[in-house]
Amino acid sequence: MSRTDSWHRTALDRIPGGRDGRRMLLVSIIDKTGTGLWAGCTALYFTYVSGLGLGQVGLLMTVSGGVGIAGAPLAGRLADRFPLVRVIVGAQLMRGAALLALLTTDHFLLLALYSALGALPDRAGSVLIKLYAARLAGPDRVRYQAIQRTTVNIGWSIGGLGAAAALATGSTRAYGLLLVGNVVTYLVIAALTLRCAEPPAPSRVAATAADAPRARPANPWRDRTFLAYTATEAALFLDDTILQVAVPLWIVHATAAPVGLAPLLLVLNTVLVVLFQVPLSRYGATTRAARRLLVPLAGLFVIGTLGLAASAAGGRTLAISALVVAVIALTFAEIIHATASWELSVALAPAEAQGAYLGVHGLAQSTQRFAGPLLVTGVMTAGPLAWPVLGLALVAAGAAQYRVTRDRVTEPAPSSLSVPTVTVSEH
């Protein structure tokens, strides 16, 4: 075996979860490549192919986003009751079928229905993959999720470049081809997922342990601590909307920076995530360490929002410099929050209802995607000084989460998969 082959084999062996873990990473990169092909042109498809007006497109996407919020808790419940691999495959096929149905009609109500049906499994996807990682990678779940998030960003970049090349042709046919390309990726990843072994469910592991009084409610809707934690998560996930929605609009409407800076800042965000998500994940490998990350997270939110405010205070050079600082700070906030969120959301969930708990936790990101654009546009309307106010609100949310999780973090975590003795070889 050559030195290159040996290095390659060693790198693969360092990925938690063994062969199935590596296969699910391949699923993630293909999935996001397909999503990258379609996501950037969705509104344009409804406009140029389906012939909808601006108001209709906005209403359609709002409705589908609202319906999609239910996808995460529904997926969590299903994952606790049925084999996880089959639930993931079912979600992938449902996404493909709903997307393909868009080609069959230009009627607004039907397009809204199909979009809403597709939003349910789409929002469920991140919850199901997190649950699979938690069950498969065990104590290495944070590192696995970091690697998975890196592959997601690579997939997004590949898909985005493909979409840009297709749309450069100027043909409306390109929109349909991009849609079909995304559907094909769903079929491919469904086939790959079927080849993955079913990971050990924590409820089965817990059943082998000695009986003990249940310290936490098995229903997440009755767990006030977990609901409070999820509410703070909805606020902390706001970095996504700020980076994806607010920054481009802020550049255009409030700063002297060139419009062409917007895509470059998104590229900067992607590159930083790819470079630093895995190395920084080691700082949140335990539940207590993940909770401590909430402190630097608050500081990064302050720097990021101050940078956005400063970008509107002067000329072109100041605007560009302040925006770069803001995006770097908010990107590292995104990286750190992702690491803390992965560990805390799993550690706070009891083993016998892990799927249901992670499903409820998924509501935080879904709600932020639905309500976040409205919030940040309101902040932009209020003017530059509103950004530091938002930063302080995010600091308060982080402080509330730090306090809410205090008691759970200090006690043993039976839901943490670092405890069970089931390993990948026992699949």
Side-chain angles (χ1 to χ4, degrees):
M1 180 181 293
S2 68
R3 180 176 298 179
T4 301
D5 291 339
S6 177
W7 178 88
H8 185 256
R9 175 63 60 185
T10 301
L12 289 177
D13 290 341
R14 291 181 62 189
I15 297 176
R19 182 181 60 185
D20 290 329
R22 296 192 293 270
R23 187 171 288 153
M24 194 57 72
L25 291 178
L26 179 60
V27 166
S28 292
I29 196 169
I30 295 174
D31 180 8
K32 294 308 177 183
T33 298
T35 303
L37 288 174
W38 172 245
C41 67
T42 304
L44 298 177
Y45 173 89
F46 291 130
T47 300
Y48 294 117
V49 178
S50 301
L52 301 184
L54 181 60
Q56 288 178 308
V57 173
L59 178 59
L60 182 150
M61 299 188 78
T62 299
V63 169
S64 62
V67 172
I69 292 176
L74 178 61
R77 285 290 184 183
L78 292 174
D80 278 338
R81 299 182 181 183
F82 302 99
L84 180 56
V85 168
R86 295 183 185 179
V87 175
I88 295 175
V89 170
Q92 292 161 347
L93 294 178
M94 184 176 174
R95 291 166 75 193
L99 193 58
L100 198 60
L102 296 178
L103 294 174
T104 67
T105 183
D106 292 332
H107 193 281
F108 172 74
L109 291 179
L110 288 176
L111 290 172
L113 173 63
Y114 297 148
S115 297
L117 290 175
L120 283 169
D122 186 65
R123 295 294 184 269
S126 60
V127 172
L128 294 173
I129 294 300
K130 178 191 287 187
L131 188 57
Y132 190 91
R135 293 180 179 180
L136 185 70
D140 293 323
R141 57 177 176 261
V142 172
R143 176 176 172 79
Y144 183 86
Q145 284 278 43
I147 297 172
Q148 193 266 345
R149 192 163 188 267
T150 300
T151 64
V152 162
N153 278 272
I154 293 173
W156 268 108
S157 301
I158 295 172
L161 291 173
L167 295 180
T169 63
S171 170
T172 56
R173 185 183 179 189
Y175 297 105
L177 292 176
L178 291 172
L179 184 154
V180 172
N182 194 12
V183 172
V184 170
T185 63
Y186 291 145
L187 297 177
V188 171
I189 62 178
L192 287 173
T193 303
L194 283 173
R195 298 182 62 188
C196 294
E198 180 69 20
S203 57
R204 292 198 297 268
V205 174
T208 63
D211 292 335
R214 182 177 297 167
R216 305 169 188 164
N219 185 344
W221 298 106
R222 298 178 180 176
D223 188 337
R224 294 181 180 179
T225 297
F226 193 82
L227 290 177
Y229 164 73
T230 300
T232 61
E233 283 284 85
L236 297 182
F237 272 120
L238 199 63
D239 58 75
D240 179 63
T241 297
I242 295 175
L243 288 166
Q244 300 294 329
V245 178
V247 168
L249 292 175
W250 188 247
I251 288 174
V252 173
H253 294 287
T255 77
V259 176
L261 181 64
L264 295 179
L265 291 177
L266 292 179
V267 170
L268 175 62
N269 167 258
T270 300
V271 170
L272 290 176
V273 171
V274 170
L275 290 177
F276 291 102
Q277 187 71 73
V278 174
L280 292 181
S281 67
R282 69 177 183 271
Y283 294 107
T286 67
T287 308
R288 290 188 179 185
R291 181 171 175 263
R292 287 195 295 268
L293 288 178
L294 296 173
V295 177
L297 176 63
L300 290 168
F301 275 131
V302 170
I303 295 172
T305 51
L306 285 175
L308 289 173
S311 67
R316 183 187 180 101
T317 301
L318 174 61
I320 293 174
S321 301
L323 285 166
V324 169
V325 170
V327 168
I328 291 175
L330 291 170
T331 298
F332 278 100
E334 175 188 355
I335 292 170
I336 288 177
H337 175 239
T339 300
S341 179
W342 295 332
E343 174 60 27
L344 290 174
S345 60
V346 175
L348 296 178
E352 69 275 9
Q354 196 175 64
Y357 269 69
L358 291 184
V360 170
H361 179 261
L363 284 173
Q365 194 164 19
S366 297
T367 301
Q368 181 277 140
R369 288 177 179 175
F370 177 66
L374 181 62
L375 175 60
V376 298
T377 52
V379 169
M380 287 187 285
T381 302
L385 293 180
W387 283 117
V389 174
L390 177 62
L392 292 177
L394 294 175
V395 170
Q401 184 173 123
Y402 191 86
R403 181 177 180 82
V404 162
T405 57
R406 178 182 56 192
D407 294 337
R408 291 287 185 90
V409 169
T410 55
E411 60 188 45
S415 62
S416 173
L417 294 187
S418 59
V419 177
T421 58
V422 176
T423 62
V424 174
S425 62
E426 294 177 275
H427 287 190

